[in-house]
PDB file of all heavy atoms in Angstrom:
ATOM      1  N   VAL A   1      69.061 -20.165  48.110  1.00  0.00           N
ATOM      2  CA  VAL A   1      68.672 -18.792  47.811  1.00  0.00           C
ATOM      3  C   VAL A   1      69.462 -17.834  48.708  1.00  0.00           C
ATOM      4  O   VAL A   1      69.479 -17.991  49.933  1.00  0.00           O
ATOM      5  CB  VAL A   1      67.157 -18.588  48.025  1.00  0.00           C
ATOM      6  CG1 VAL A   1      66.766 -17.135  47.876  1.00  0.00           C
ATOM      7  CG2 VAL A   1      66.367 -19.461  47.074  1.00  0.00           C
ATOM      8  N   ASP A   2      70.111 -16.861  48.079  1.00  0.00           N
ATOM      9  CA  ASP A   2      70.809 -15.831  48.843  1.00  0.00           C
ATOM     10  C   ASP A   2      69.772 -14.948  49.529  1.00  0.00           C
ATOM     11  O   ASP A   2      68.731 -14.638  48.962  1.00  0.00           O
ATOM     12  CB  ASP A   2      71.684 -14.976  47.923  1.00  0.00           C
ATOM     13  CG  ASP A   2      72.808 -15.784  47.300  1.00  0.00           C
ATOM     14  OD1 ASP A   2      73.231 -16.793  47.912  1.00  0.00           O
ATOM     15  OD2 ASP A   2      73.247 -15.428  46.190  1.00  0.00           O
ATOM     16  N   ASN A   3      70.062 -14.524  50.738  1.00  0.00           N
ATOM     17  CA  ASN A   3      69.149 -13.680  51.509  1.00  0.00           C
ATOM     18  C   ASN A   3      67.768 -14.319  51.649  1.00  0.00           C
ATOM     19  O   ASN A   3      66.745 -13.655  51.502  1.00  0.00           O
ATOM     20  CB  ASN A   3      69.006 -12.286  50.896  1.00  0.00           C
ATOM     21  CG  ASN A   3      70.038 -11.339  51.435  1.00  0.00           C
ATOM     22  OD1 ASN A   3      70.631 -11.592  52.474  1.00  0.00           O
ATOM     23  ND2 ASN A   3      70.247 -10.262  50.718  1.00  0.00           N
ATOM     24  N   TYR A   4      67.755 -15.599  51.924  1.00  0.00           N
ATOM     25  CA  TYR A   4      66.491 -16.329  52.016  1.00  0.00           C
ATOM     26  C   TYR A   4      65.569 -15.741  53.081  1.00  0.00           C
ATOM     27  O   TYR A   4      64.360 -15.636  52.877  1.00  0.00           O
ATOM     28  CB  TYR A   4      66.760 -17.806  52.298  1.00  0.00           C
ATOM     29  CG  TYR A   4      65.515 -18.600  52.543  1.00  0.00           C
ATOM     30  CD1 TYR A   4      64.590 -18.803  51.522  1.00  0.00           C
ATOM     31  CD2 TYR A   4      65.227 -19.136  53.793  1.00  0.00           C
ATOM     32  CE1 TYR A   4      63.430 -19.517  51.732  1.00  0.00           C
ATOM     33  CE2 TYR A   4      64.082 -19.849  54.014  1.00  0.00           C
ATOM     34  CZ  TYR A   4      63.179 -20.040  52.987  1.00  0.00           C
ATOM     35  OH  TYR A   4      62.033 -20.745  53.196  1.00  0.00           O
ATOM     36  N   ASN A   5      66.128 -15.349  54.225  1.00  0.00           N
ATOM     37  CA  ASN A   5      65.288 -14.809  55.299  1.00  0.00           C
ATOM     38  C   ASN A   5      64.595 -13.514  54.906  1.00  0.00           C
ATOM     39  O   ASN A   5      63.570 -13.158  55.485  1.00  0.00           O
ATOM     40  CB  ASN A   5      66.116 -14.585  56.567  1.00  0.00           C
ATOM     41  CG  ASN A   5      66.504 -15.899  57.210  1.00  0.00           C
ATOM     42  OD1 ASN A   5      65.817 -16.901  57.050  1.00  0.00           O
ATOM     43  ND2 ASN A   5      67.605 -15.893  57.931  1.00  0.00           N
ATOM     44  N   ASP A   6      65.131 -12.797  53.937  1.00  0.00           N
ATOM     45  CA  ASP A   6      64.521 -11.550  53.483  1.00  0.00           C
ATOM     46  C   ASP A   6      63.705 -11.717  52.205  1.00  0.00           C
ATOM     47  O   ASP A   6      63.212 -10.742  51.655  1.00  0.00           O
ATOM     48  CB  ASP A   6      65.608 -10.487  53.255  1.00  0.00           C
ATOM     49  CG  ASP A   6      66.348 -10.151  54.542  1.00  0.00           C
ATOM     50  OD1 ASP A   6      65.705 -10.184  55.610  1.00  0.00           O
ATOM     51  OD2 ASP A   6      67.549  -9.863  54.481  1.00  0.00           O
ATOM     52  N   SER A   7      63.587 -12.933  51.727  1.00  0.00           N
ATOM     53  CA  SER A   7      62.854 -13.156  50.475  1.00  0.00           C
ATOM     54  C   SER A   7      61.374 -13.408  50.758  1.00  0.00           C
ATOM     55  O   SER A   7      60.957 -13.604  51.901  1.00  0.00           O
ATOM     56  CB  SER A   7      63.441 -14.348  49.717  1.00  0.00           C
ATOM     57  OG  SER A   7      63.117 -15.560  50.377  1.00  0.00           O
ATOM     58  N   GLY A   8      60.589 -13.432  49.726  1.00  0.00           N
ATOM     59  CA  GLY A   8      59.152 -13.684  49.854  1.00  0.00           C
ATOM     60  C   GLY A   8      58.809 -15.146  50.016  1.00  0.00           C
ATOM     61  O   GLY A   8      57.641 -15.486  50.234  1.00  0.00           O
ATOM     62  N   TRP A   9      59.798 -16.019  49.897  1.00  0.00           N
ATOM     63  CA  TRP A   9      59.522 -17.451  49.996  1.00  0.00           C
ATOM     64  C   TRP A   9      58.988 -17.842  51.366  1.00  0.00           C
ATOM     65  O   TRP A   9      58.188 -18.767  51.481  1.00  0.00           O
ATOM     66  CB  TRP A   9      60.781 -18.263  49.684  1.00  0.00           C
ATOM     67  CG  TRP A   9      61.068 -18.328  48.237  1.00  0.00           C
ATOM     68  CD1 TRP A   9      62.088 -17.730  47.567  1.00  0.00           C
ATOM     69  CD2 TRP A   9      60.307 -19.034  47.257  1.00  0.00           C
ATOM     70  NE1 TRP A   9      62.011 -18.010  46.228  1.00  0.00           N
ATOM     71  CE2 TRP A   9      60.924 -18.814  46.007  1.00  0.00           C
ATOM     72  CE3 TRP A   9      59.158 -19.816  47.295  1.00  0.00           C
ATOM     73  CZ2 TRP A   9      60.435 -19.361  44.832  1.00  0.00           C
ATOM     74  CZ3 TRP A   9      58.677 -20.363  46.118  1.00  0.00           C
ATOM     75  CH2 TRP A   9      59.318 -20.132  44.908  1.00  0.00           C
ATOM     76  N   ARG A  10      59.423 -17.170  52.407  1.00  0.00           N
ATOM     77  CA  ARG A  10      58.934 -17.474  53.759  1.00  0.00           C
ATOM     78  C   ARG A  10      57.416 -17.345  53.831  1.00  0.00           C
ATOM     79  O   ARG A  10      56.745 -18.160  54.444  1.00  0.00           O
ATOM     80  CB  ARG A  10      59.576 -16.537  54.782  1.00  0.00           C
ATOM     81  CG  ARG A  10      61.008 -16.784  55.017  1.00  0.00           C
ATOM     82  CD  ARG A  10      61.172 -17.684  56.190  1.00  0.00           C
ATOM     83  NE  ARG A  10      62.591 -17.817  56.491  1.00  0.00           N
ATOM     84  CZ  ARG A  10      63.050 -18.756  57.240  1.00  0.00           C
ATOM     85  NH1 ARG A  10      62.235 -19.626  57.771  1.00  0.00           N
ATOM     86  NH2 ARG A  10      64.326 -18.849  57.468  1.00  0.00           N
ATOM     87  N   TYR A  11      56.889 -16.311  53.191  1.00  0.00           N
ATOM     88  CA  TYR A  11      55.436 -16.081  53.226  1.00  0.00           C
ATOM     89  C   TYR A  11      54.689 -17.138  52.416  1.00  0.00           C
ATOM     90  O   TYR A  11      53.626 -17.602  52.829  1.00  0.00           O
ATOM     91  CB  TYR A  11      55.110 -14.682  52.712  1.00  0.00           C
ATOM     92  CG  TYR A  11      55.820 -13.610  53.497  1.00  0.00           C
ATOM     93  CD1 TYR A  11      56.841 -12.869  52.927  1.00  0.00           C
ATOM     94  CD2 TYR A  11      55.483 -13.364  54.828  1.00  0.00           C
ATOM     95  CE1 TYR A  11      57.512 -11.901  53.661  1.00  0.00           C
ATOM     96  CE2 TYR A  11      56.149 -12.402  55.563  1.00  0.00           C
ATOM     97  CZ  TYR A  11      57.157 -11.676  54.983  1.00  0.00           C
ATOM     98  OH  TYR A  11      57.819 -10.726  55.705  1.00  0.00           O
ATOM     99  N   VAL A  12      55.253 -17.508  51.291  1.00  0.00           N
ATOM    100  CA  VAL A  12      54.628 -18.548  50.461  1.00  0.00           C
ATOM    101  C   VAL A  12      54.563 -19.867  51.234  1.00  0.00           C
ATOM    102  O   VAL A  12      53.538 -20.554  51.242  1.00  0.00           O
ATOM    103  CB  VAL A  12      55.399 -18.719  49.136  1.00  0.00           C
ATOM    104  CG1 VAL A  12      54.901 -19.929  48.368  1.00  0.00           C
ATOM    105  CG2 VAL A  12      55.317 -17.460  48.301  1.00  0.00           C
ATOM    106  N   LEU A  13      55.642 -20.213  51.921  1.00  0.00           N
ATOM    107  CA  LEU A  13      55.670 -21.467  52.672  1.00  0.00           C
ATOM    108  C   LEU A  13      54.774 -21.409  53.900  1.00  0.00           C
ATOM    109  O   LEU A  13      54.168 -22.417  54.282  1.00  0.00           O
ATOM    110  CB  LEU A  13      57.104 -21.817  53.052  1.00  0.00           C
ATOM    111  CG  LEU A  13      57.989 -22.131  51.842  1.00  0.00           C
ATOM    112  CD1 LEU A  13      59.422 -22.331  52.271  1.00  0.00           C
ATOM    113  CD2 LEU A  13      57.476 -23.350  51.105  1.00  0.00           C
ATOM    114  N   PHE A  14      54.640 -20.226  54.507  1.00  0.00           N
ATOM    115  CA  PHE A  14      53.720 -20.100  55.626  1.00  0.00           C
ATOM    116  C   PHE A  14      52.280 -20.311  55.152  1.00  0.00           C
ATOM    117  O   PHE A  14      51.491 -20.975  55.827  1.00  0.00           O
ATOM    118  CB  PHE A  14      53.862 -18.734  56.312  1.00  0.00           C
ATOM    119  CG  PHE A  14      52.938 -18.573  57.476  1.00  0.00           C
ATOM    120  CD1 PHE A  14      53.106 -19.332  58.631  1.00  0.00           C
ATOM    121  CD2 PHE A  14      51.888 -17.675  57.432  1.00  0.00           C
ATOM    122  CE1 PHE A  14      52.246 -19.195  59.713  1.00  0.00           C
ATOM    123  CE2 PHE A  14      51.029 -17.530  58.502  1.00  0.00           C
ATOM    124  CZ  PHE A  14      51.205 -18.286  59.650  1.00  0.00           C
ATOM    125  N   VAL A  15      51.951 -19.781  54.003  1.00  0.00           N
ATOM    126  CA  VAL A  15      50.615 -20.004  53.435  1.00  0.00           C
ATOM    127  C   VAL A  15      50.426 -21.492  53.146  1.00  0.00           C
ATOM    128  O   VAL A  15      49.339 -22.044  53.356  1.00  0.00           O
ATOM    129  CB  VAL A  15      50.396 -19.140  52.179  1.00  0.00           C
ATOM    130  CG1 VAL A  15      49.137 -19.553  51.436  1.00  0.00           C
ATOM    131  CG2 VAL A  15      50.320 -17.669  52.554  1.00  0.00           C
ATOM    132  N   MET A  16      51.477 -22.167  52.706  1.00  0.00           N
ATOM    133  CA  MET A  16      51.395 -23.603  52.454  1.00  0.00           C
ATOM    134  C   MET A  16      51.098 -24.357  53.757  1.00  0.00           C
ATOM    135  O   MET A  16      50.315 -25.317  53.763  1.00  0.00           O
ATOM    136  CB  MET A  16      52.698 -24.100  51.827  1.00  0.00           C
ATOM    137  CG  MET A  16      52.661 -25.495  51.315  1.00  0.00           C
ATOM    138  SD  MET A  16      54.191 -25.830  50.401  1.00  0.00           S
ATOM    139  CE  MET A  16      53.998 -27.574  50.110  1.00  0.00           C
ATOM    140  N   VAL A  17      51.686 -23.931  54.857  1.00  0.00           N
ATOM    141  CA  VAL A  17      51.402 -24.538  56.158  1.00  0.00           C
ATOM    142  C   VAL A  17      49.936 -24.309  56.531  1.00  0.00           C
ATOM    143  O   VAL A  17      49.247 -25.231  56.994  1.00  0.00           O
ATOM    144  CB  VAL A  17      52.350 -23.970  57.242  1.00  0.00           C
ATOM    145  CG1 VAL A  17      51.894 -24.357  58.632  1.00  0.00           C
ATOM    146  CG2 VAL A  17      53.776 -24.451  56.995  1.00  0.00           C
ATOM    147  N   LEU A  18      49.454 -23.095  56.312  1.00  0.00           N
ATOM    148  CA  LEU A  18      48.047 -22.799  56.606  1.00  0.00           C
ATOM    149  C   LEU A  18      47.120 -23.668  55.762  1.00  0.00           C
ATOM    150  O   LEU A  18      46.096 -24.159  56.246  1.00  0.00           O
ATOM    151  CB  LEU A  18      47.752 -21.324  56.371  1.00  0.00           C
ATOM    152  CG  LEU A  18      48.524 -20.321  57.233  1.00  0.00           C
ATOM    153  CD1 LEU A  18      48.139 -18.897  56.858  1.00  0.00           C
ATOM    154  CD2 LEU A  18      48.326 -20.581  58.706  1.00  0.00           C
ATOM    155  N   VAL A  19      47.479 -23.873  54.511  1.00  0.00           N
ATOM    156  CA  VAL A  19      46.697 -24.742  53.627  1.00  0.00           C
ATOM    157  C   VAL A  19      46.692 -26.164  54.173  1.00  0.00           C
ATOM    158  O   VAL A  19      45.669 -26.860  54.121  1.00  0.00           O
ATOM    159  CB  VAL A  19      47.237 -24.683  52.178  1.00  0.00           C
ATOM    160  CG1 VAL A  19      46.661 -25.794  51.322  1.00  0.00           C
ATOM    161  CG2 VAL A  19      46.946 -23.327  51.563  1.00  0.00           C
ATOM    162  N   GLY A  20      47.810 -26.614  54.728  1.00  0.00           N
ATOM    163  CA  GLY A  20      47.867 -27.950  55.322  1.00  0.00           C
ATOM    164  C   GLY A  20      46.865 -28.117  56.454  1.00  0.00           C
ATOM    165  O   GLY A  20      46.173 -29.134  56.546  1.00  0.00           O
ATOM    166  N   TYR A  21      46.768 -27.112  57.324  1.00  0.00           N
ATOM    167  CA  TYR A  21      45.789 -27.167  58.417  1.00  0.00           C
ATOM    168  C   TYR A  21      44.363 -27.172  57.870  1.00  0.00           C
ATOM    169  O   TYR A  21      43.507 -27.921  58.343  1.00  0.00           O
ATOM    170  CB  TYR A  21      45.951 -25.968  59.347  1.00  0.00           C
ATOM    171  CG  TYR A  21      47.290 -25.892  60.049  1.00  0.00           C
ATOM    172  CD1 TYR A  21      47.864 -24.657  60.326  1.00  0.00           C
ATOM    173  CD2 TYR A  21      47.979 -27.026  60.449  1.00  0.00           C
ATOM    174  CE1 TYR A  21      49.075 -24.554  60.981  1.00  0.00           C
ATOM    175  CE2 TYR A  21      49.195 -26.935  61.097  1.00  0.00           C
ATOM    176  CZ  TYR A  21      49.743 -25.697  61.366  1.00  0.00           C
ATOM    177  OH  TYR A  21      50.940 -25.603  62.008  1.00  0.00           O
ATOM    178  N   PHE A  22      44.120 -26.333  56.875  1.00  0.00           N
ATOM    179  CA  PHE A  22      42.782 -26.242  56.282  1.00  0.00           C
ATOM    180  C   PHE A  22      42.398 -27.558  55.607  1.00  0.00           C
ATOM    181  O   PHE A  22      41.273 -28.043  55.782  1.00  0.00           O
ATOM    182  CB  PHE A  22      42.725 -25.090  55.282  1.00  0.00           C
ATOM    183  CG  PHE A  22      41.411 -24.992  54.566  1.00  0.00           C
ATOM    184  CD1 PHE A  22      40.337 -24.357  55.157  1.00  0.00           C
ATOM    185  CD2 PHE A  22      41.243 -25.549  53.308  1.00  0.00           C
ATOM    186  CE1 PHE A  22      39.113 -24.276  54.506  1.00  0.00           C
ATOM    187  CE2 PHE A  22      40.033 -25.482  52.650  1.00  0.00           C
ATOM    188  CZ  PHE A  22      38.957 -24.844  53.257  1.00  0.00           C
ATOM    189  N   VAL A  23      43.307 -28.125  54.835  1.00  0.00           N
ATOM    190  CA  VAL A  23      43.021 -29.377  54.119  1.00  0.00           C
ATOM    191  C   VAL A  23      42.733 -30.502  55.111  1.00  0.00           C
ATOM    192  O   VAL A  23      41.820 -31.311  54.895  1.00  0.00           O
ATOM    193  CB  VAL A  23      44.183 -29.743  53.167  1.00  0.00           C
ATOM    194  CG1 VAL A  23      44.081 -31.162  52.663  1.00  0.00           C
ATOM    195  CG2 VAL A  23      44.234 -28.765  52.007  1.00  0.00           C
ATOM    196  N   ALA A  24      43.487 -30.552  56.206  1.00  0.00           N
ATOM    197  CA  ALA A  24      43.228 -31.580  57.221  1.00  0.00           C
ATOM    198  C   ALA A  24      41.808 -31.443  57.756  1.00  0.00           C
ATOM    199  O   ALA A  24      41.079 -32.433  57.871  1.00  0.00           O
ATOM    200  CB  ALA A  24      44.248 -31.470  58.349  1.00  0.00           C
ATOM    201  N   GLY A  25      41.404 -30.227  58.072  1.00  0.00           N
ATOM    202  CA  GLY A  25      40.051 -30.013  58.562  1.00  0.00           C
ATOM    203  C   GLY A  25      38.994 -30.323  57.515  1.00  0.00           C
ATOM    204  O   GLY A  25      37.949 -30.908  57.820  1.00  0.00           O
ATOM    205  N   PHE A  26      39.256 -29.928  56.277  1.00  0.00           N
ATOM    206  CA  PHE A  26      38.318 -30.169  55.184  1.00  0.00           C
ATOM    207  C   PHE A  26      38.069 -31.665  55.008  1.00  0.00           C
ATOM    208  O   PHE A  26      36.923 -32.113  54.900  1.00  0.00           O
ATOM    209  CB  PHE A  26      38.866 -29.570  53.883  1.00  0.00           C
ATOM    210  CG  PHE A  26      37.935 -29.700  52.715  1.00  0.00           C
ATOM    211  CD1 PHE A  26      36.948 -28.757  52.498  1.00  0.00           C
ATOM    212  CD2 PHE A  26      38.049 -30.766  51.828  1.00  0.00           C
ATOM    213  CE1 PHE A  26      36.074 -28.873  51.419  1.00  0.00           C
ATOM    214  CE2 PHE A  26      37.197 -30.891  50.751  1.00  0.00           C
ATOM    215  CZ  PHE A  26      36.201 -29.948  50.545  1.00  0.00           C
ATOM    216  N   LEU A  27      39.145 -32.436  54.990  1.00  0.00           N
ATOM    217  CA  LEU A  27      39.000 -33.881  54.807  1.00  0.00           C
ATOM    218  C   LEU A  27      38.268 -34.520  55.984  1.00  0.00           C
ATOM    219  O   LEU A  27      37.451 -35.425  55.799  1.00  0.00           O
ATOM    220  CB  LEU A  27      40.360 -34.528  54.599  1.00  0.00           C
ATOM    221  CG  LEU A  27      41.075 -34.167  53.298  1.00  0.00           C
ATOM    222  CD1 LEU A  27      42.464 -34.773  53.273  1.00  0.00           C
ATOM    223  CD2 LEU A  27      40.261 -34.614  52.093  1.00  0.00           C
ATOM    224  N   ALA A  28      38.554 -34.048  57.189  1.00  0.00           N
ATOM    225  CA  ALA A  28      37.868 -34.602  58.363  1.00  0.00           C
ATOM    226  C   ALA A  28      36.380 -34.266  58.324  1.00  0.00           C
ATOM    227  O   ALA A  28      35.539 -35.118  58.616  1.00  0.00           O
ATOM    228  CB  ALA A  28      38.509 -34.056  59.637  1.00  0.00           C
ATOM    229  N   GLY A  29      36.061 -33.036  57.949  1.00  0.00           N
ATOM    230  CA  GLY A  29      34.656 -32.648  57.849  1.00  0.00           C
ATOM    231  C   GLY A  29      33.927 -33.394  56.749  1.00  0.00           C
ATOM    232  O   GLY A  29      32.749 -33.713  56.867  1.00  0.00           O
ATOM    233  N   ARG A  30      34.635 -33.673  55.684  1.00  0.00           N
ATOM    234  CA  ARG A  30      34.028 -34.396  54.564  1.00  0.00           C
ATOM    235  C   ARG A  30      33.768 -35.850  54.923  1.00  0.00           C
ATOM    236  O   ARG A  30      32.781 -36.436  54.512  1.00  0.00           O
ATOM    237  CB  ARG A  30      34.964 -34.302  53.362  1.00  0.00           C
ATOM    238  CG  ARG A  30      34.327 -34.674  52.075  1.00  0.00           C
ATOM    239  CD  ARG A  30      35.263 -34.322  50.968  1.00  0.00           C
ATOM    240  NE  ARG A  30      34.590 -34.471  49.706  1.00  0.00           N
ATOM    241  CZ  ARG A  30      35.166 -34.312  48.549  1.00  0.00           C
ATOM    242  NH1 ARG A  30      36.446 -33.975  48.511  1.00  0.00           N
ATOM    243  NH2 ARG A  30      34.507 -34.463  47.444  1.00  0.00           N
ATOM    244  N   ARG A  31      34.680 -36.443  55.703  1.00  0.00           N
ATOM    245  CA  ARG A  31      34.510 -37.837  56.091  1.00  0.00           C
ATOM    246  C   ARG A  31      33.539 -38.009  57.255  1.00  0.00           C
ATOM    247  O   ARG A  31      33.010 -39.102  57.445  1.00  0.00           O
ATOM    248  CB  ARG A  31      35.862 -38.446  56.477  1.00  0.00           C
ATOM    249  CG  ARG A  31      36.791 -38.570  55.305  1.00  0.00           C
ATOM    250  CD  ARG A  31      38.104 -39.177  55.711  1.00  0.00           C
ATOM    251  NE  ARG A  31      38.379 -40.246  54.762  1.00  0.00           N
ATOM    252  CZ  ARG A  31      38.810 -41.436  55.084  1.00  0.00           C
ATOM    253  NH1 ARG A  31      39.049 -41.739  56.327  1.00  0.00           N
ATOM    254  NH2 ARG A  31      39.024 -42.336  54.152  1.00  0.00           N
ATOM    255  N   ALA A  32      33.367 -36.954  58.058  1.00  0.00           N
ATOM    256  CA  ALA A  32      32.472 -37.039  59.210  1.00  0.00           C
ATOM    257  C   ALA A  32      31.675 -35.745  59.325  1.00  0.00           C
ATOM    258  O   ALA A  32      31.914 -34.933  60.206  1.00  0.00           O
ATOM    259  CB  ALA A  32      33.291 -37.278  60.478  1.00  0.00           C
ATOM    260  N   PRO A  33      30.708 -35.544  58.429  1.00  0.00           N
ATOM    261  CA  PRO A  33      29.969 -34.276  58.422  1.00  0.00           C
ATOM    262  C   PRO A  33      29.126 -34.045  59.672  1.00  0.00           C
ATOM    263  O   PRO A  33      28.791 -32.906  59.983  1.00  0.00           O
ATOM    264  CB  PRO A  33      29.093 -34.368  57.174  1.00  0.00           C
ATOM    265  CG  PRO A  33      29.085 -35.787  56.766  1.00  0.00           C
ATOM    266  CD  PRO A  33      30.296 -36.433  57.343  1.00  0.00           C
ATOM    267  N   GLY A  34      28.815 -35.076  60.414  1.00  0.00           N
ATOM    268  CA  GLY A  34      28.017 -34.905  61.627  1.00  0.00           C
ATOM    269  C   GLY A  34      28.759 -34.188  62.748  1.00  0.00           C
ATOM    270  O   GLY A  34      28.152 -33.589  63.621  1.00  0.00           O
ATOM    271  N   GLY A  35      30.047 -34.246  62.739  1.00  0.00           N
ATOM    272  CA  GLY A  35      30.862 -33.572  63.757  1.00  0.00           C
ATOM    273  C   GLY A  35      31.960 -32.769  63.104  1.00  0.00           C
ATOM    274  O   GLY A  35      33.126 -32.879  63.467  1.00  0.00           O
ATOM    275  N   ALA A  36      31.577 -31.956  62.142  1.00  0.00           N
ATOM    276  CA  ALA A  36      32.557 -31.257  61.303  1.00  0.00           C
ATOM    277  C   ALA A  36      33.482 -30.340  62.098  1.00  0.00           C
ATOM    278  O   ALA A  36      34.698 -30.345  61.876  1.00  0.00           O
ATOM    279  CB  ALA A  36      31.836 -30.459  60.218  1.00  0.00           C
ATOM    280  N   LEU A  37      32.942 -29.564  63.009  1.00  0.00           N
ATOM    281  CA  LEU A  37      33.784 -28.638  63.772  1.00  0.00           C
ATOM    282  C   LEU A  37      34.769 -29.382  64.659  1.00  0.00           C
ATOM    283  O   LEU A  37      35.958 -29.068  64.687  1.00  0.00           O
ATOM    284  CB  LEU A  37      32.920 -27.702  64.625  1.00  0.00           C
ATOM    285  CG  LEU A  37      32.206 -26.581  63.895  1.00  0.00           C
ATOM    286  CD1 LEU A  37      31.282 -25.838  64.843  1.00  0.00           C
ATOM    287  CD2 LEU A  37      33.199 -25.632  63.276  1.00  0.00           C
TER     288      LEU A  37
END
């Protein structure tokens, strides 16, 4: 992508990283609800 640093893709991928952190926590809480936090 030309001008990648100025494109909106950076924000989309940052949100994808945030989703990765959330999903990791979600799965851990689902597997161990007694110590979810």
Side-chain angles (χ1 to χ4, degrees):
V1 173
D2 295 333
N3 271 342
Y4 174 67
N5 289 333
D6 298 326
S7 72
W9 283 110
R10 290 266 185 196
Y11 303 111
V12 171
L13 294 174
F14 181 68
V15 169
M16 190 172 172
V17 168
L18 298 179
V19 167
Y21 298 146
F22 176 82
V23 167
F26 183 86
L27 293 175
R30 195 171 189 184
R31 293 180 131 225
L37 285 174

